[in-house]
Amino acid sequence: MRAVDAIMECLKAEGVDVVFGLPGGANLPTYDAFVDGGIRHVLVRHEAGGGHAAEGYAKATGKVGVAFATSGPGATNVVTPIVDAMMDSVPTVFITGQVRTDLIGTDGFQETDTLGITMPVVKHSFQIRSPQEIPRAIHEAFYLARSGRPGPVVVDIPQDLSRADIDYEPIGDVHLPGYQPTTDGNAKQIRQAAKAMASARRPVVYAGGGVVNANAAKELTDFVTSDRFPVTCTLMGLGAFPAPHPQWLGMLGMHGTRAANYAMDEADLICCIGARFDDRITGKLSEFAPHAKFIHIDVDPAEISKNVPAHIPIVGDAKSVLAKLVKEYRALDSVDSSRMDEWWARIEAWRKDHPLRYDDSTDGEIKPQYMVQALYEATGGDAIVCSDVGQHQMWAAQYYHFDQPRRWINSGGLGTMGFGLPAAMGAQVGCPDQTVVCISGDGSIQMNLQELATCAQNEIPVKIFIMNNGYLGMVRQWQELFWDNRYSHVDMGTFPDFVKVAEAYGATGLRLTEKSTLVDDMKAALQTPGPVMVDVRVTREENTYPMISPGMPARDMVG
Amino acid sequence: MGEPATKDRLSLEDLEATTNLRSGRKHILSILVENKAGVLTRVAGLFARRGFNIDTLTVGPTEDEQFSRITLTFDGAMHPVDQVTKQLHKLINVLKIRDLEPNDTVARELALFKVAVEGPQRAEVMQICEIFRGKVVDVTRRSVILEITGTTDKVEAFERMVRPFGLIEMMRTGEIAISRGRGET
Ligand SMILES: Cc1ncc(C[n+]2csc(CCOP(=O)(O)OP(=O)(O)O)c2C)c(N)n1
Ligand SMILES: [Mg+2]
């Protein structure tokens, strides 16, 4: 069998139903196999779009996302999505073409040391050295991408090796002696954690993207509601716990709620699940949660005690550990929920005194926060929301109340502008029956706008809502607040004309400027078949609040 | 208020953080890796990007050709040892890591010294070499090359002795180390 046909067989065996990519010289043989390989391939317009689409697909479905690129510039174009997938632990496999083996090391045409460039930013990578290795490498890549702490895996295949014929036999097992993720969690530690939770008077449950990755939202809810534990999620964890719930404090971190951040600040016990005490969460690390002891549950042992020393470390899969933790907690003797009365009174006071708020317009102008509220209403809160990076991302996180996991797809760790549209495209391909919207900024959308052509050609009906403030708004905000109002290269004016751009790409373009009809206009856009790009003109200079200023402790939040 | 009453409660005050402290001493890690292309780059790259400094690093074959052994030393005063080992464990090609106990370990490195000596000084240098159980491996009219094997401390002590004579060049392999006793390292 041709090695490239074996690649198709391997992909099918891994359950792959779609690949995002773009061909070139070094992966011509592989692309020949797509002609009758029985696997859907979506031709993207830029490999970065393909990589982010694979991420969006993976985040929406929980399956491994797959992107193909050719050697040289094709491979370097997927570097950003690879890093993005590493930072946010997204299960992805990138299969890159490489020049012929006799050209490797000669600076051949479109030769790039793909393995070298990506080595610091992958979970693992494979350089194929003989055609016979290809099937095993691909299966190992999928296994690594999806198991343990998920992440990106690169398989780099020289052109001549992919042209070879091999003896292909389906591979049922993988052999990775140096890779044995711990999933179960130490039973004694779990019992200790349950007892600590039962002893805490001011506990907080702090959950992150790891809960979503582990499909552990139900277990998280069971745990949180096995008592009156207050719960907050990171930007990556939104949806892991239903936002409308009374025990929900809102998101924590730089633009989180005061209730969540103040609760962390005064907690006596913090139970962290699948999160990593990133600087956007802790603010000034030395003054973070000064009264708290920490339970830290993570499948990646290296995260535990990396930034904040854990008192009860538990290495394991969030789903399995939480299920056991719930059992242990319920089995405890006479747990008295009233021990948290004072704590809840304090939390209620924060909620009452500091709800998320903004000054709405009185003159019909669309405030950006209102735009997200309007979209929440127009979609009935029932959409997969992908976002780009900037102020619009934070407002989307604050005002779209996610009640299910895998409904909020954004670039958290890397903060990649240009993530939103291709991710939405991937999410829509993975979830064809759901409404997929992309909340973007006028800056971010231009970083992968070419994928609108992919959406139009393939009838991928994503609905893009551009929060158009004419600025690189988040950077403008920082210049206003921390650089004495000296705006430097953040004003983008009213370029381009997004309605015309949408039409040129073969999508529907709309411009919305009226607050009074916004919800209905958005509903109309959502009902328009095919891809739609909506240019929503919002207040130009609005700041995202509240905010923990960089390097400051949470209790000094402003705004 | 008051203390927890049942065995199902504990005092949060008594919980202690897992230590992530710097040990303050030199560590020798013996890392068994798959003998595959690029593995050394992955290990070295990990140290570089996490900001861990490597003091010495040696790589060589083992008794089993599927594996190589990397012996790496770093300063535990500068880096939290368990972060270093946990991050190393995340590399798929890393099979086993031993943070060797100084007392239970035999460590050696090889060093070559080219010293500028003429006339009566030569005899003096050769005598020092003998005391250190070193070897003279090359002699010319104006120089000698000496070979020393031993722990890093011994090599460094020897260096201090010969440097005043005129040290033209010094080359060191970095330490390799093996655990004492019958068990595998
Ligand atoms: C690729 C990339 N370049 C630069 C940045 C820095 N950055 C963060 S937010 C932002 C502004 C984004 O502007 P826009 O998409 O219009 O969003 P807004 O903040 O206005 O809502 C910039 C430039 C980034 N995150 N990513
Ligand atoms: Mg903007």
Side-chain angles (χ1 to χ4, degrees):
Chain A
M1 183 189 281
R2 295 190 305 172
V4 289
D5 296 321
I7 294 177
M8 297 297 134
E9 293 311 310
C10 295
L11 295 181
K12 280 187 252 176
E14 291 293 345
V16 174
D17 50 23
V18 63
V19 167
F20 300 91
L22 192 147
N27 62 7
L28 270 172
T30 321
Y31 270 78
D32 187 70
F34 275 119
V35 173
D36 37 32
I39 289 198
R40 180 175 178 200
H41 176 277
V42 174
L43 171 63
V44 297
R45 299 307 193 259
H46 187 298
E47 291 87 350
H52 292 311
E55 287 188 273
Y57 172 92
K59 289 191 185 205
T61 63
K63 297 197 279 185
V64 178
V66 186
F68 276 49
T70 190
S71 68
T76 57
N77 276 349
V78 290
V79 171
T80 302
I82 291 171
V83 186
D84 196 273
M86 187 69 177
M87 295 289 274
D88 286 347
S89 309
V90 191
T92 39
V93 170
F94 293 83
I95 300 187
T96 50
Q98 184 52 277
V99 298
R100 296 195 316 264
T101 41
D102 61 309
L103 286 172
I104 289 180
T106 68
D107 303 317
F109 177 64
Q110 294 193 329
E111 182 191 356
T112 287
D113 178 7
T114 303
L115 236 68
I117 288 175
T118 58
M119 196 169 280
V121 293
V122 293
K123 182 168 176 183
H124 194 53
S125 50
F126 296 89
Q127 172 82 68
I128 302 300
R129 284 163 194 276
S130 112
Q132 199 59 46
E133 293 172 7
I134 293 173
R136 181 164 290 283
I138 289 181
H139 287 300
E140 290 179 351
F142 275 85
Y143 176 68
L144 286 165
R146 77 161 76 87
S147 60
R149 178 179 183 173
V153 182
V154 169
V155 184
D156 195 42
I157 311 180
Q159 198 255 23
D160 53 327
L161 304 186
S162 67
R163 288 187 85 134
D165 282 320
I166 60 171
D167 299 325
Y168 172 68
E169 269 185 48
I171 288 171
D173 63 317
V174 292
H175 179 65
L176 293 160
Y179 179 74
Q180 273 122 15
T182 308
T183 54
D184 277 352
N186 179 298
K188 231 176 90 190
Q189 293 289 85
I190 295 174
R191 186 163 318 128
Q192 184 81 344
K195 288 182 188 175
M197 288 303 280
S199 312
R201 294 175 177 280
R202 298 190 308 280
V204 178
V205 175
Y206 147 50
V211 174
V212 178
N213 269 338
N215 296 315
K218 183 190 165 292
E219 288 76 6
L220 176 68
T221 306
D222 287 351
F223 173 54
V224 168
T225 55
S226 61
D227 205 331
R228 296 157 68 208
F229 301 134
V231 58
T232 177
C233 286
T234 66
L235 180 69
M236 300 311 297
L238 294 179
F241 187 84
H245 197 280
Q247 283 164 257
W248 172 243
L249 303 182
M251 177 174 80
L252 83 167
M254 182 172 270
H255 293 295
T257 63
R258 276 196 163 73
N261 284 318
Y262 289 177
M264 295 289 278
D265 187 55
E266 294 192 9
D268 63 355
L269 181 68
I270 290 173
C271 180
C272 169
I273 309 151
R276 57 189 174 86
F277 297 94
D278 167 88
D279 56 273
R280 288 298 193 256
I281 297 301
T282 62
K284 188 175 184 183
L285 189 59
S286 60
E287 293 185 35
F288 171 67
H291 315 287
K293 306 282 174 160
F294 295 94
I295 300 167
H296 195 168
I297 302 168
D298 206 291
V299 74
D300 178 358
E303 284 306 338
I304 295 177
S305 298
K306 184 182 78 178
N307 294 338
V308 171
H311 300 78
I312 305 180
I314 302 175
V315 179
D317 175 71
K319 193 179 182 75
S320 136
V321 172
L322 280 171
K324 290 177 191 159
L325 189 53
V326 171
K327 258 199 199 142
E328 290 289 348
Y329 195 79
R330 289 195 178 137
L332 294 179
D333 228 21
S334 56
V335 176
D336 179 10
S337 292
S338 70
R339 73 187 186 284
M340 286 184 266
D341 284 352
E342 272 177 49
W343 185 222
W344 272 109
R346 188 124 179 91
I347 291 170
E348 291 301 352
W350 289 324
R351 280 178 163 167
K352 193 163 133 290
D353 296 345
H354 312 286
L356 278 179
R357 64 166 301 282
Y358 62 96
D359 293 322
D360 203 0
S361 64
T362 47
D363 58 357
E365 188 175 48
I366 300 170
K367 285 277 181 158
Q369 299 92 331
Y370 177 72
M371 173 184 158
V372 178
Q373 290 177 316
L375 189 62
Y376 183 71
E377 203 181 319
T379 53
D382 190 24
I384 295 178
V385 178
C386 301
S387 121
D388 260 299
V389 172
Q391 293 181 312
H392 60 276
Q393 175 189 27
M394 293 301 131
W395 283 316
Q398 290 176 338
Y399 289 96
Y400 201 102
H401 308 288
F402 297 95
D403 62 355
Q404 287 176 55
R406 302 196 182 281
R407 289 295 183 85
W408 167 240
I409 294 175
N410 83 133
S411 166
L414 194 63
T416 310
M417 288 171 72
F419 172 87
L421 170 55
M425 179 170 89
Q428 184 78 80
V429 167
C431 305
D433 300 329
Q434 296 202 47
T435 303
V436 177
V437 305
C438 170
I439 299 181
S440 189
D442 47 320
S444 297
I445 191 67
Q446 296 185 64
M447 289 206 186
N448 269 315
L449 191 48
Q450 75 285 343
E451 298 313 325
L452 204 46
T454 313
C455 292
Q457 186 186 18
N458 295 282
E459 294 170 8
I460 301 168
V462 296
K463 311 297 184 226
I464 305 157
F465 293 87
I466 302 173
M467 185 182 282
N468 190 345
N469 52 15
Y471 276 119
L472 296 170
M474 188 56 95
V475 181
R476 185 206 58 73
Q477 174 172 345
W478 283 49
Q479 290 177 348
E480 178 191 327
L481 299 178
F482 310 121
W483 296 87
D484 204 18
N485 265 309
R486 286 160 58 88
Y487 289 178
S488 175
H489 304 281
V490 287
D491 190 341
M492 294 182 296
T494 51
F495 301 93
D497 181 331
F498 287 111
V499 175
K500 284 188 183 156
V501 169
E503 285 165 1
Y505 271 119
T508 304
L510 297 167
R511 178 164 297 119
L512 302 181
T513 53
E514 255 309 303
K515 180 181 170 190
S516 58
T517 57
L518 187 60
V519 174
D520 287 337
D521 292 342
M522 283 178 158
K523 281 185 183 159
L526 291 163
Q527 262 131 41
T528 306
V532 179
M533 185 157 74
V534 188
D535 177 16
V536 186
R537 295 295 173 89
V538 300
T539 310
R540 289 205 69 199
E541 302 195 15
E542 180 80 13
N543 288 341
T544 310
Y545 286 127
M547 177 175 198
I548 305 176
S549 300
M552 299 295 280
R555 82 186 76 89
D556 296 338
M557 284 196 94
V558 294
Chain B
M1 297 281 207
E3 287 306 297
T6 82
K7 65 174 182 7
D8 284 350
R9 299 296 177 280
L10 46 83
S11 161
L12 294 184
E13 294 307 312
D14 297 341
L15 290 176
E16 285 192 26
T18 46
T19 52
N20 189 24
L21 299 176
R22 293 157 179 34
S23 67
R25 64 169 172 88
K26 175 180 116 175
H27 285 259
I28 305 179
L29 296 185
S30 183
I31 309 167
L32 189 68
V33 299
E34 291 180 277
N35 180 13
K36 286 188 177 163
V39 175
L40 178 61
T41 319
R42 288 182 205 270
V43 171
L46 170 67
F47 272 72
R49 73 174 174 275
R50 295 269 169 198
F52 306 144
N53 278 317
I54 299 176
D55 289 337
T56 69
L57 180 142
T58 69
V59 199
T62 63
E63 67 288 348
D64 182 335
E65 65 174 10
Q66 287 181 18
F67 309 123
S68 303
R69 171 87 55 186
I70 296 177
T71 311
L72 188 153
T73 64
F74 70 96
D75 186 353
M78 284 169 63
H79 309 299
V81 181
D82 76 43
Q83 253 305 301
V84 173
T85 54
K86 281 170 168 182
Q87 292 293 347
L88 278 169
H89 264 303
K90 284 171 71 168
L91 298 176
I92 311 299
N93 302 125
V94 167
L95 300 172
K96 200 168 125 189
I97 302 170
R98 274 280 295 268
D99 177 12
L100 292 168
E101 268 300 317
N103 295 335
D104 274 333
T105 303
V106 179
R108 291 288 182 271
E109 71 172 308
L110 174 70
L112 297 171
F113 296 81
K114 188 180 285 183
V115 188
V117 281
E118 293 174 53
Q121 285 195 326
R122 175 180 295 143
E124 204 181 322
V125 165
M126 285 164 69
Q127 202 182 352
I128 295 170
C129 182
E130 200 170 306
I131 294 168
F132 277 81
R133 296 177 196 278
K135 275 190 221 152
V136 180
V137 287
D138 185 55
V139 185
T140 69
R141 264 189 48 236
R142 297 171 55 210
S143 69
V144 289
I145 297 176
L146 310 168
E147 175 191 317
I148 296 287
T149 313
T151 62
T152 295
D153 285 349
K154 175 175 162 187
V155 171
E156 286 172 357
F158 184 73
E159 180 197 339
R160 281 192 295 276
M161 293 302 292
V162 295
R163 188 175 275 282
F165 291 94
L167 186 56
I168 301 170
E169 262 180 345
M170 172 181 79
M171 298 193 190
R172 293 169 56 175
T173 57
E175 275 179 311
I176 54 169
I178 197 161
S179 65
R180 290 184 192 277
R182 174 84 170 73
E184 283 173 27
T185 299

